[in-house]
Each structure stands twice: as C-alpha cells, then as structure tokens.
Amino acid sequence: MQVGARSDIGRVRRVNEDAYCALPGLFAVADGMGGHRAGEVASSLAVDVLTSHPFARKTPEEVQAVIQDANRRIYEDAVRQPKYAGMGTTITVALIDGDRLVIGHVGDSRAYLVRQGYLRQLTADHSVVGELLRNGGLTQAEAVTHPHRNLLTRALGTSPEVLVDVVTEQLAGGDILILCTDGLTNLVDDDELIEIVTGHNDPDDAVDRLVALANDRGGIDNVTVVVIRTSDE
Ligand code: MN
C-alpha cells in the first residue's frame, strides 16, 4: 500500500482549519469551522480522538462509536469555553484492515474509490445542496453555484449527539481511495480526479498535483487530500 497525504492553507484563508491523519490502516480528513481559531481546534481534536483510539475490533460500530466520542469531546469544549462556542468540523475516516475498508463520516468531506478507471463517491454529503441533489430538487450544474453549497446539515461538535454514516467495502488490488475536503472538490471535477490519481504511480505526486490544481484555480479554501493505493495483485 502506498500513501500520499497533504494539507494546504490555499491562497485566500489566513488559517488552515483542515486536519488529517495518515497512519498505518487509519486515515482521516476533517474540515473545521468556527470563529478565530475554533475551526482549527475542532478539526484537530477530532483527528486526535481518532489517532489515540486503539481500534481493537475494527468494526463499523467501533468507527461509529469513536466518531461519536469525538463529537462529544468537541461539543463539551464548545459549550465550556466561550471562545470555542459554535465550533464544529466534518470528519471522514477510512479504517483499512487487510482487504476490509470501513468508512465513517459526518459532513461534506468525501471518500472516493477509483477502481479500474471508474470513480465512485463512497460518502453522501451532509449538506443542504447534497440533500437537494439526492432528492432531485437540484441539478448537478445548479449545485456547483448554489449560494448555500457550504451549509452543512450535519457536523461534529454542534450538538450533543450526532448521526454517523458508515460504509463498508471490500478492497481489490490496484484500488485507489481518496479522502478530501471541499477545498478540493469545489474546484476539481471527477474526471480530473480520476486522471490525476491514475496518472501518477506515486500517490505523493498525485496529492501534490491535486493541491496545485486547486490553488491554480484560486485556492479559495484550505485543501486536504489523502490518496491510498492498494498493492497490485
Ligand atoms: Mn473547506
């Protein structure tokens, strides 16, 4: 398995409120929100809760429970400290155990699987626009320019309990898994994603190219990408 991971502040923002981890078998991206440095605190806290958990069972239920634990920790800090009031974050986690993949997520940071040149989004955005798209209330073209495209319907840390989506997949040799924040997906489309991740043998080169492309197009948000390529069979 080869891994590339990078987080970049972009060209406009003064703080990078994204966070990520890329440890053996455990990968995550988080996109924080909140005033001052609160977004940065929320996304870092979410990733810290994940990386300090031993993941003994590696089940979907365990992934769900750890994300709910992160939610409680962020929510408690947000309630206790006025400077962190209202902070929150997205989280998208990938736990890989052999050929078993568990994705857990809340918010609009995405996981994609590229297999034999075809891309599939494994996560459903918890955003106003994502829900409108799924209900048929909006076209893909309308979604890209929708004024509320950044509004989340679910986030970690904004209420004491959160519903966590989990998805399981069986991985095959040569699969490419991508985790990313909206700083990438608002500026780079699916075809470009496929072309870049399949066109670079080293995932480090692929993440560099993706970050550079987002920045070339304005870099209006923080951008974070993790690319995991399983070994060929
Ligand atoms: Mn973002």
Side-chain angles (χ1 to χ4, degrees), residues 13 17-18 30-32 90 108-109 150 181-184 186 221-223:
R13 302 285 176 92
E17 298 190 316
D18 286 359
D31 181 347
T90 70
D108 67 352
S109 298
N150 297 322
T181 58
D182 66 344
L184 183 75
N186 284 335
D221 194 4
N222 309 140
V223 52

